[in-house]
Amino acid sequence: HADAAMYLAKASGRANYRFFEPELAERAYADLVLEAELALALTRDEFQLFYQPQIDARSGQLRGAEALLRWRHPQRGLLTPDAFIDVAERHRLMLPLSEWVMREAARQSRDWHERGIAAVPIAVNLSSMQFRLEDFDRVVALVLQDAGVPGTWLELELTERMLMDDIERVPALLQALRALGLSISVDDFGTGYTSLSHLGRLPVDKLKIDQSFVAGLPGDSKAVAITRAIVQMGLGLGLQVSAEGVRDAGQAQLLGDWGCHSLQGELIGPPMPAAEFEHWLSQRRAAS
Ligand code: C2E
Ligand code: MG
Ligand code: MG
Ligand code: MG
């Protein structure tokens, strides 16, 4: 076995030929376990969406909520996506999981609308695998139809990488999704390689400034310059601009002054289970 591992390590290139064969084996094993557990988790109802509020930078009113996936792992407790998304993507479990996320967000949105809790859209993060589905717009249409909600109640968050993935196909797909009423956000904006001329032509609605830039406000002069430029550009293109990872009042103030429309982050509220989100909202409304 050790010989085989050594052979593989050598075969895969000199740079890899060293001490980490046991580590590799351990990781492969951990992935295998995770893969098996993931496959069961959906049927065992172990996934849950948390919701993080997004507020208007001026009025402070609720503007939306982002759905963030959590896995209530029976042994390891509450897991965030970084612990399992990669494995899910590699093993094609991401498609059923992503569809579950959309259905659950649509169901929650309907529940909040019907109970008069919050008439705001819920934002869903798309996986690249899902976005590459040839009939993705039809999948979305079906989800909306089954949940009995209009497209305007959901927002789709895509990364720059996904937008640039297929320059031929993406604009038409985005158009089709917008025709269903959904709005399109570019997540983690500023971290990718979007060509600005292309961005101007893409049918998107919102830029979400990546939290790494927001984290540098107000002290880091480079972060200030970049963040401000992104806000300016977004406004110039007629897009909504939103900031994530807002942690303190100084950051919120600056972003609002620059014209950023909405804010999301720990300062406003953490990602919360639906019931907690409702509690957070009623407290906030009582206080204002
Ligand atoms: P994202 O879409 O950029 O989501 C924002 C992340 O920042 C979330 O991490 C959120 O909990 C975290 N966050 C919010 N406010 C603050 C803050 O003030 N400070 C800091 N440091 N962090 C903050 P989370 O929930 O761990 O999600 C990580 C990423 O996983 C998300 O990044 C998104 O790309 C992905 N993800 C989450 N849910 C889903 C899903 O349902 N499907 C897919 N495909 N990806 C998902
Ligand atoms: Mg997001
Ligand atoms: Mg983000
Ligand atoms: Mg992200």
Side-chain angles (χ1 to χ4, degrees):
H1 167 77
D3 285 350
M6 187 67 83
Y7 173 78
L8 280 173
K10 276 184 184 166
S12 68
R14 284 190 65 120
N16 296 329
Y17 164 33
R18 271 196 343 238
F19 309 101
F20 51 79
E21 296 88 19
E23 257 171 62
L24 266 181
E26 234 168 80
R27 248 188 82 184
Y29 179 72
D31 272 18
L32 221 67
V33 171
L34 199 65
E35 182 195 349
E37 290 174 336
L38 268 172
L40 288 174
L42 256 180
T43 60
R44 290 182 178 164
D45 213 19
E46 290 169 359
F47 291 108
Q48 186 179 1
L49 292 183
F50 276 38
Y51 298 91
Q52 186 171 36
Q54 303 169 332
I55 60 160
D56 189 287
R58 280 177 209 278
S59 70
Q61 275 194 355
L62 188 72
R63 281 282 171 263
E66 178 175 6
L68 295 159
L69 184 59
R70 298 293 182 265
W71 179 9
R72 294 203 172 278
H73 189 284
Q75 282 84 41
R76 295 161 66 199
L78 192 69
L79 300 181
T80 51
D82 56 303
F84 59 89
I85 287 264
D86 285 353
V87 172
E89 290 263 4
R90 254 179 281 142
H91 299 283
R92 309 216 134 253
L93 292 165
M94 206 53 212
L95 281 183
L97 182 52
S98 300
E99 186 164 333
W100 178 84
V101 169
M102 266 198 305
R103 290 189 179 276
E104 178 61 11
R107 187 201 60 74
Q108 188 62 67
S109 164
R110 184 186 172 119
D111 176 66
W112 280 342
H113 274 83
E114 280 181 353
R115 290 167 52 225
I117 305 279
V120 296
I122 294 181
V124 171
N125 293 283
L126 296 186
S127 72
S128 43
M129 200 177 268
Q130 185 181 30
F131 194 61
R132 275 193 218 116
L133 284 176
E134 208 183 309
D135 58 347
F136 180 60
D137 54 321
R138 267 186 291 159
V139 173
V140 175
L142 203 64
V143 166
L144 295 172
Q145 192 188 316
D146 289 350
V149 305
T152 49
W153 292 4
L154 289 186
E155 209 171 281
L156 302 179
E157 296 195 0
L158 294 98
T159 60
E160 289 178 70
R161 185 188 294 261
M162 286 155 74
L163 284 175
M164 294 302 126
D165 190 50
D166 185 341
I167 284 179
E168 296 298 310
R169 188 182 84 102
V170 166
L173 176 56
L174 295 181
Q175 270 320 349
L177 292 166
R178 284 170 109 206
L180 293 170
L182 293 107
S183 70
I184 311 290
S185 302
V186 189
D187 203 355
D188 305 338
F189 188 77
T191 59
Y193 302 91
T194 309
S195 117
L196 295 184
S197 66
H198 190 54
L199 178 71
R201 276 181 272 125
L202 277 178
V204 299
D205 302 281
K206 187 193 275 188
L207 300 182
K208 288 187 80 173
I209 305 170
D210 189 66
Q211 45 185 288
S212 60
F213 303 119
V214 177
L217 307 181
D220 176 349
S221 62
K222 286 194 173 130
V224 168
I226 294 170
T227 310
R228 201 173 172 174
I230 295 176
V231 176
Q232 287 287 322
M233 186 190 63
L235 296 178
L237 291 171
L239 301 175
Q240 288 286 309
V241 181
S242 142
E244 56 182 9
V246 180
R247 275 175 313 178
D248 65 58
Q251 295 172 341
Q253 178 73 42
L254 261 185
L255 288 158
D257 289 347
W258 293 334
C260 181
H261 300 101
S262 56
L263 309 174
Q264 177 182 346
E266 276 155 26
L267 173 73
I268 293 102
M272 298 168 267
E276 235 174 86
F277 183 95
E278 291 173 24
H279 181 69
W280 172 90
L281 190 58
S282 64
Q283 298 276 56
R284 192 177 166 92
R285 282 174 179 157
S288 73

